[in-house]
């Protein structure tokens, strides 16, 4: 399998804390370096990796990844891995400075862009749902008025039935 294929990279992107991220070990594999060496470079250049570019997973997040990804072996993890957002991945390429890092980085950026473009149609649906939620109070008030009107009409019909004389023949 071509390691730079978007499909392969797709499988390495996870949603954690509402962000698309990649594990340090997956990036190390793609960049053809040891995870230890990748993390050393990151530590040497810590000022380039703020919390919104990179963060360390909690034990609970690792458990969630284990349960959601049966094919990925998270049992081999000795310490909580670091994950990198799209910006963190880009910054990694500037720190690693190898030809393969540049090539892999281009593929990763294309994959992130593709995933963003796939989610665009859902933004309209989300906006509509948010509108429904904010209009919920107004909608509820309107529904209450409709229920009151229907109830009043029902009461008027019941009163009208009681006052109306029956027509027809009376059998004995």
């Amino acid at each position: 399998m071509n390691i730079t294929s978007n499909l392969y990279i797709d499988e390495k992107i996870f949603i954690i804390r509402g962000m698309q991220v990649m594990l340090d070990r997956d990036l190390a594999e793609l960049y053809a370096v040891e995870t230890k060496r990748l993390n050393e470079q990151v530590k040497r250049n810590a000022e380039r990796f703020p919390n919104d570019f990179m963060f360390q997973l909690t034990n609970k997040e690792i458990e969630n990844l284990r349960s959601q990804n049966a094919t990925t072996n998270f049992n081999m993890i000795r310490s909580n891995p670091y994950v990198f957002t799209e910006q963190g991945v880009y910054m990694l390429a500037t720190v690693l400075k190898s030809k393969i890092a540049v090539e892999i980085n281009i593929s990763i950026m294309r994959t992130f862009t593709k995933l963003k473009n796939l989610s665009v149609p859902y933004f309209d649906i989300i906006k509509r749902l948010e509108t429904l939620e904010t209009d919920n109070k107004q909608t509820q008030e309107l529904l209450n008025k409709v229920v009151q009107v229907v109830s009043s009409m029902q009461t008027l019909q019941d009163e009208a039935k009681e006052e109306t004389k029956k027509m027809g023949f009376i059998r004995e």
Side-chain angles (χ1 to χ4, degrees):
M1 174 182 283
N2 181 0
I3 203 163
T4 62
S5 76
N6 287 346
L7 180 60
Y8 181 76
I9 294 170
D10 257 0
E11 297 169 358
K12 304 288 185 184
I13 297 175
F14 301 99
I15 306 287
I16 300 173
R17 300 182 193 176
M19 295 180 278
Q20 293 179 334
V21 297
M22 294 183 75
L23 291 166
D24 55 0
R25 70 178 192 173
D26 292 336
L27 287 164
E29 177 189 342
L30 290 168
Y31 292 135
V33 297
E34 292 179 36
T35 305
K36 182 178 179 178
R37 300 294 169 236
L38 182 135
N39 287 328
E40 284 173 359
Q41 283 294 81
V42 169
K43 287 176 184 171
R44 282 189 199 120
N45 296 280
E47 71 281 354
R48 293 182 181 219
F49 296 95
N51 290 337
D52 56 332
F53 282 27
M54 177 201 81
F55 55 90
Q56 193 168 22
L57 295 180
T58 64
N59 290 336
K60 186 173 182 167
E61 289 167 335
I62 293 171
E63 285 306 313
N64 286 340
L65 280 176
R66 277 189 182 123
S67 65
Q68 294 171 9
N69 302 288
T71 58
T72 307
N73 188 355
F74 288 101
N75 296 326
M76 302 289 289
I77 296 174
R78 291 185 184 144
S79 64
N80 293 15
Y82 289 95
V83 292
F84 295 82
T85 63
E86 181 178 353
Q87 294 84 4
V89 170
Y90 177 77
M91 195 59 70
L92 263 178
T94 65
V95 169
L96 296 176
K97 298 179 185 173
S98 70
K99 183 174 167 77
I100 192 166
V102 172
E103 291 172 9
I104 294 297
N105 201 56
I106 290 169
S107 293
I108 293 171
M109 291 300 116
R110 286 182 176 147
T111 304
F112 273 115
T113 301
K114 183 188 84 170
L115 291 173
K116 282 181 190 173
N117 290 338
L118 289 174
S119 65
V120 167
Y122 298 106
F123 288 132
D124 184 48
I125 294 169
I126 291 168
K127 282 185 179 182
R128 289 181 183 195
L129 287 173
E130 287 172 348
T131 302
L132 283 175
E133 287 177 2
T134 57
D135 292 346
N136 193 21
K137 194 171 189 176
Q138 293 172 341
T139 305
Q140 192 63 42
E141 289 172 3
L142 183 62
L143 285 173
N144 287 338
K145 288 180 183 177
V146 169
V147 168
Q148 287 174 349
V149 169
V150 169
S151 179
S152 298
M153 290 175 66
Q154 186 67 42
T155 304
L156 288 173
Q157 282 181 334
D158 291 345
E159 290 173 2
K161 280 183 185 177
E162 290 174 8
E163 294 176 10
T164 305
K165 293 183 181 178
K166 292 183 179 180
M167 297 178 69
F169 297 102
I170 300 175
R171 290 190 184 173
E172 291 183 24

